[in-house]
Amino acid sequence: MGLTSETTVYVMAALAAVCVALLVWLWPRLARQGLRPVLGRLAAVGVTQVTIIAACGCWLNSSYQFFGSWGELFGHVDTAPVGITQAAGRGDGVVTGVAAKGALVQPAGDQQLSRVTGLPTGPAAVNGRVESVKVIGRRTGVVDPALVYLPPQYFQKAYHRQRFPVIVALSGYPGSVFNLAQYLRVPQTAGALQKSGQMQPTIMVMIRPTIAPPRDTECVNVPGGPQAETFLAKDLPDALKSTYRVGHYASSWGVMGYSSGGSCALQLTMRNPGVYTTAGALSPDYKVKDDPTTGNLFGSGLGRVNRVNGHDLMWRLKHLPAPQVSVLVAESKHGERGYPQTLAFIKAVKAPMRVVSILPDQGSHNFPTWTREMPATLKWMNQQLTFPQDVVPRQHHTPGPTKVRASGPEPSEAATKDK
């Protein structure tokens, strides 16, 4: 009985209901004087409250996918790569191509994909497809679930040798790939924009930056601990390049996210401009700090100050050469706390770095706000990415077109503000 399954939710709800009924039935017997009746009342009330809270927690976790398994809930995470030997088919939830033993991207289970509304259906060459996979870090040994949206052109004969640009979408903490698909609507929005010609055909990769749940690693290489930055800046691109027809140069790679995922997107792009050249950050922070969910991210000793400063984006803009990247930041003027910090970040950016912003008058730190900002963010990011001109060798694929030009209008002035 999985942690996120509906069966678990129903069982916990039934258990809570039974405890409430037993409490009502036993209360007259526990209403006597003396130590034992008092302890009995305390135990009955305590057990009933625990079961009710557990039932509500299971329902929330099933809906929002904070933790994907019992092991994750208790901090036990499998990091050992698991190989398969058979070729993957073409059905739902499998990787396009052959996932051999030792492959860095392998088919995964449903991951609540069947509960996501609005995903493409029908022929993949007409509507595209979303695949459920697990990404295995060659350097870090991390195994992280992901969803991959492949546009219709990926399956069309004319594009069989063509590589595609990539946008990596990161969830917040303690979010999941389910949140990216169901609540942020990443594949649905990207699919609609590409179908209408407002985005060039692009592969969308949805993944969580929390590689060692329940710890919030904030895309940092923790001394002696999880190597989150290495996984997202090296392992993930290498794994995708080994499996999908994606661009091999940074000019065709972007990363975006919301909340702490947005913070990660900025960190990854500014610290690794040779991997990601474009970032979209919805409600980000501009400095990584230790807190109860992160633990000690930067270690101790003489190197701690340098590590802390290295993840302070305002410090980087002041003391280090600006990277040649383009970033978009989004923050509401009223309803979110980070508006002054966002204005300070925009002001601090200098050439060759470029920044644009989405600054709505009203909004909260939630999915309704971020989904409003998604279309303009994706269109702008896509326009910064270069459609790969390199192609897959002829011996592996049939010939395809030599060039595909980016399409789609610039975001309106009401949606973005350029610096």
Side-chain angles (χ1 to χ4, degrees):
M1 193 165 57
L3 178 61
T4 60
S5 70
E6 293 185 356
T7 302
T8 301
V9 176
Y10 293 144
V11 168
M12 292 304 301
L15 183 60
V18 169
C19 287
V20 170
L22 286 174
L23 177 65
V24 173
W25 181 62
L26 292 173
W27 195 258
R29 301 184 184 186
L30 300 173
R32 303 168 185 168
Q33 299 295 323
L35 179 60
R36 293 180 65 182
V38 170
L39 292 178
R41 290 196 294 271
L42 291 174
V45 171
V47 169
T48 301
Q49 289 181 334
V50 167
T51 55
I52 292 173
I53 292 171
C56 292
C58 286
W59 173 75
L60 285 172
N61 188 69
S62 179
S63 299
Y64 294 99
Q65 296 283 291
F66 299 127
F67 301 99
S69 67
W70 294 105
E72 286 187 7
L73 179 64
F74 295 108
H76 305 298
V77 183
D78 180 17
T79 59
V82 180
I84 61 173
T85 56
Q86 72 274 17
R90 291 280 182 173
D92 291 339
V94 297
V95 181
T96 300
V98 177
K101 185 176 181 179
L104 300 179
V105 178
Q106 299 183 3
D110 179 77
Q111 294 187 113
Q112 305 295 313
L113 194 59
S114 59
R115 296 177 55 196
V116 178
T117 59
L119 293 180
T121 58
V126 177
N127 300 315
R129 188 170 72 200
V130 176
E131 298 184 338
S132 172
V133 302
K134 55 186 175 184
V135 178
I136 299 170
R138 181 169 58 86
R139 299 170 182 82
T140 60
V142 169
V143 180
D144 210 17
L147 299 177
V148 179
Y149 166 77
L150 301 170
Q153 290 83 354
Y154 192 90
F155 303 95
Q156 295 171 6
K157 186 176 181 180
Y159 291 81
H160 274 185
R161 293 183 58 226
Q162 183 65 58
R163 301 188 187 276
F164 292 82
V166 181
I167 295 178
V168 175
L170 303 175
S171 66
Y173 175 83
S176 68
V177 294
F178 175 79
N179 290 354
L180 289 165
Q182 175 65 11
Y183 299 109
L184 196 60
R185 314 295 286 174
V186 171
Q188 300 89 328
T189 304
L193 291 173
Q194 293 180 41
K195 191 172 184 178
S196 64
Q198 298 180 73
M199 277 181 69
Q200 60 188 338
T202 303
I203 294 175
M204 305 294 301
V205 179
M206 292 147 276
I207 198 165
R208 61 181 186 179
T210 307
I211 65 169
R215 186 177 185 180
D216 181 10
T217 46
E218 289 283 344
C219 296
V220 172
N221 281 346
V222 181
Q227 303 294 289
E229 184 175 17
T230 295
F231 175 75
L232 292 167
K234 295 182 179 180
D235 284 346
L236 177 62
D238 284 354
L240 295 172
K241 290 173 185 177
S242 72
T243 305
Y244 297 102
R245 300 197 313 275
V246 298
H248 283 196
Y249 300 101
S251 59
S252 58
W253 283 72
V255 57
M256 64 163 294
Y258 65 89
S259 191
S260 62
S263 306
C264 282
L266 290 178
Q267 294 275 344
L268 289 169
T269 302
M270 292 181 64
R271 290 173 55 86
N272 302 275
V275 179
Y276 301 105
T277 55
T278 302
L282 312 182
S283 305
D285 291 321
Y286 302 95
K287 181 179 181 179
V288 177
K289 301 178 182 178
D290 290 342
D291 63 35
T293 66
T294 66
N296 184 354
L297 292 173
F298 304 106
S300 57
L302 297 177
R304 176 178 170 83
V305 172
N306 289 336
R307 289 189 287 269
V308 170
N309 288 338
H311 288 277
D312 182 342
L313 300 186
M314 296 299 292
W315 184 93
R316 295 184 69 90
L317 289 172
K318 183 176 180 180
H319 294 92
L320 299 177
Q324 191 168 347
V325 296
S326 299
V327 301
L328 178 150
V329 291
E331 191 83 24
S332 301
K333 297 179 182 177
H334 304 286
E336 293 192 271
R337 295 180 298 178
Y339 185 68
Q341 292 81 5
T342 296
L343 292 184
F345 176 81
I346 294 170
K347 186 177 180 180
V349 170
K350 55 184 179 291
M353 185 174 172
R354 180 172 177 248
V355 61
V356 300
S357 60
I358 300 176
L359 305 173
D361 287 331
Q362 297 287 339
S364 300
H365 198 81
N366 57 25
F367 286 109
T369 297
W370 299 323
T371 53
R372 288 173 52 212
E373 298 164 347
M374 272 288 290
T377 300
L378 286 178
K379 285 191 289 185
W380 179 83
M381 289 186 67
N382 198 243
Q383 290 158 8
Q384 313 314 306
L385 301 179
T386 301
F387 203 98
Q389 298 303 304
D390 57 322
V391 295
V392 177
R394 287 180 181 275
Q395 59 266 33
H396 298 299
H397 294 274
T398 56
T402 58
K403 185 176 181 181
V404 177
R405 190 166 58 89
S407 61
E410 291 286 342
S412 65
E413 291 186 3
T416 61
K417 187 176 180 180
D418 203 349
K419 175 181 173 69

